[in-house]
Amino acid sequence: VVGWPVIHFFKESFLACTSKEDMKMRVYDATGRELRCYPIACGRNVGNKRRQGDMRTPVGLFKVQEILDAHTWTHDFKDGKGVIRGAYGPYFVRLLTGHKGIGIHGTHDESSIGTLATEGCIRLHNANILEFATKFAYRGMTVIVLPSKNDLENDGLTLETENGSGK
């Protein structure tokens, strides 16, 4: 229609949606078609992130701030094992969450995927973060993080059902 704005969808039009309930991060294209489903690890503690160091993964709608090469990064998880080289895997996808240092990254411990294991980040298998960071992620990309039932209970919230009762 003449005079209507033209909307262009680029190949970079992707959305990531992480569910802390089913411990998966799904990537969708601009039409809503699911392209990938990655298993994740998230924060050790349930509930929405309140402050730095609370070991919770924030819930909400966020944007990718930057994509960083993290293969040489180190971290001491304070577990008695000392500083771990490659703690974040090959990439760190930093998110704008209002909390310092939150992102999506790989791991030094592949067995942690599927568990509550992180200090608040979303952790993927290294092969998955490699694919996500190089094929799908871009600065400004929308990332949604949905709460688990345990998050809601911990924060004193309930889900509304169709008949209006909380479950």
Side-chain angles (χ1 to χ4, degrees), residues 13-17 26-30 61 138 141-144:
S13 294
F14 300 114
L15 165 80
C17 184
R26 292 174 171 83
V27 179
Y28 299 92
D29 68 12
L61 181 73
Y138 57 94
M141 177 186 192
T142 299
V143 176
I144 301 167

Side-chain angles (χ1 to χ4, degrees), residues 116-160:
L116 302 177
T118 78
E119 295 178 355
C121 289
I122 297 163
R123 187 183 291 176
L124 302 178
H125 288 293
N126 288 334
N128 293 343
I129 190 63
L130 181 64
E131 179 182 63
F132 177 71
T134 60
K135 289 188 177 182
F136 301 115
Y138 57 94
R139 186 177 178 161
M141 177 186 192
T142 299
V143 176
I144 301 167
V145 181
L146 301 172
S148 68
K149 290 176 189 170
N150 288 337
D151 286 334
L152 295 172
E153 289 172 7
N154 182 77
D155 293 341
L157 303 171
T158 59
L159 290 173
E160 291 293 319

Side-chain angles (χ1 to χ4, degrees), residues 16-76:
C17 184
T18 299
S19 169
K20 292 169 64 179
E21 180 67 28
D22 68 4
M23 302 293 280
K24 305 275 189 218
M25 183 175 85
R26 292 174 171 83
V27 179
Y28 299 92
D29 68 12
T31 68
R33 184 171 54 108
E34 183 179 306
L35 303 175
R36 295 290 186 278
C37 181
Y38 303 121
I40 66 159
C42 61
R44 281 182 208 133
N45 294 327
V46 297
N48 194 12
K49 189 155 199 71
R50 297 182 185 112
R51 60 180 163 68
Q52 190 169 344
D54 68 6
M55 307 293 180
R56 292 181 172 95
T57 299
V59 171
L61 181 73
F62 309 114
K63 296 287 184 181
V64 170
Q65 181 179 14
E66 59 186 335
I67 302 164
L68 302 163
D69 180 341
H71 76 277
T72 62
W73 291 13
T74 63
H75 186 69
D76 185 347

Side-chain angles (χ1 to χ4, degrees), residues 58-125:
V59 171
L61 181 73
F62 309 114
K63 296 287 184 181
V64 170
Q65 181 179 14
E66 59 186 335
I67 302 164
L68 302 163
D69 180 341
H71 76 277
T72 62
W73 291 13
T74 63
H75 186 69
D76 185 347
F77 291 94
K78 310 291 188 234
D79 58 3
K81 296 178 183 173
V83 175
I84 304 292
R85 183 174 168 85
Y88 298 95
Y91 285 97
F92 188 94
V93 178
R94 187 177 308 281
L95 301 178
L96 287 168
T97 66
H99 299 280
K100 184 179 175 185
I102 298 294
I104 304 166
H105 59 78
T107 183
H108 67 290
D109 181 7
E110 298 272 342
S111 69
S112 69
I113 304 302
T115 70
L116 302 177
T118 78
E119 295 178 355
C121 289
I122 297 163
R123 187 183 291 176
L124 302 178
H125 288 293

